Amino acid sequence: MKVINCVFLFGGLIGMSIIGAVGYTVFSDREKYVDSEKIIADINGEEYRLEVAISDSAQRKGLMERSSLAQDRGMIFIYAKEYMRSFWMKDTLIPLDIIFLDKHREVVHIEEHVPPCQEDPCPSYSSQYPSQYVIELNAGEADKVDLT
């Protein structure tokens, strides 16, 4: 099992949750978080600052139209329920790794080095199993932190 530790920064308070086998109460209360809030995630010893995408509009936009993304940055999509998820790269300008996690916060699928969409229709990238959380990082980061 791949485990991701996250420290949540909100309203000046710091909370901690472990994505994996234990203690995921912070993620389970989706209503406490807002779009663009930051989560600091320690993924196998590498620290990433992830923007939160909870609303439908933030989840549709994702990392679109960004010409760059710092190596220690990314986005986490938090959904209310576990479901088969599919992502595309329309208007996304940078290659990404897409990491799908199930309701137990276990990594269930990774799409590596997903290229920007060059023309319509854009291909979709889907998890092989239902997921409730999705993390997007710069291409190559999943391999760098040994998630693959």
Side-chain angles (χ1 to χ4, degrees):
M1 172 193 325
K2 301 294 183 174
V3 176
I4 300 173
N5 295 310
C6 290
V7 176
F8 298 82
L9 301 178
F10 51 94
L13 301 174
I14 298 177
M16 191 163 115
S17 178
I18 299 175
I19 302 173
V22 294
Y24 43 81
T25 56
V26 176
F27 259 171
S28 64
D29 195 355
R30 186 173 179 265
E31 298 79 32
K32 289 183 180 179
Y33 300 99
V34 296
D35 293 327
S36 299
E37 197 163 6
K38 302 291 188 273
I39 293 174
I40 299 174
D42 176 83
I43 304 175
N44 289 345
E46 294 290 328
E47 190 173 280
Y48 295 91
R49 292 182 183 273
L50 306 178
E51 293 176 46
V52 175
I54 290 180
S55 72
D56 289 343
S57 62
Q59 289 177 350
R60 276 191 303 273
K61 184 167 176 69
L63 293 172
M64 288 179 171
E65 301 172 0
R66 299 199 191 182
S67 58
S68 66
L69 184 65
Q71 286 305 115
D72 65 342
R73 300 292 195 264
M75 182 170 278
I76 185 164
F77 299 79
I78 302 174
Y79 296 96
K81 296 181 179 180
E82 191 176 58
Y83 192 75
M84 295 302 290
R85 305 271 171 221
S86 185
F87 280 63
W88 68 341
M89 298 290 282
K90 178 142 179 95
D91 298 325
T92 303
L93 308 175
I94 53 176
L96 298 172
D97 287 345
I98 304 172
I99 305 160
F100 297 86
L101 300 105
D102 68 11
K103 66 182 178 183
H104 303 292
R105 286 62 172 185
E106 294 179 22
V107 175
V108 294
H109 184 75
I110 300 173
E111 288 287 339
E112 294 183 86
H113 298 278
V114 177
C117 177
Q118 300 296 319
E119 59 185 53
D120 285 325
C122 295
S124 292
Y125 301 89
S126 303
S127 176
Q128 296 176 348
Y129 302 97
S131 61
Q132 189 167 347
Y133 310 97
V134 180
I135 298 174
E136 291 183 338
L137 300 173
N138 279 301
E141 293 297 308
D143 188 49
K144 175 181 170 185
V145 295
D146 197 30
L147 286 180
T148 56

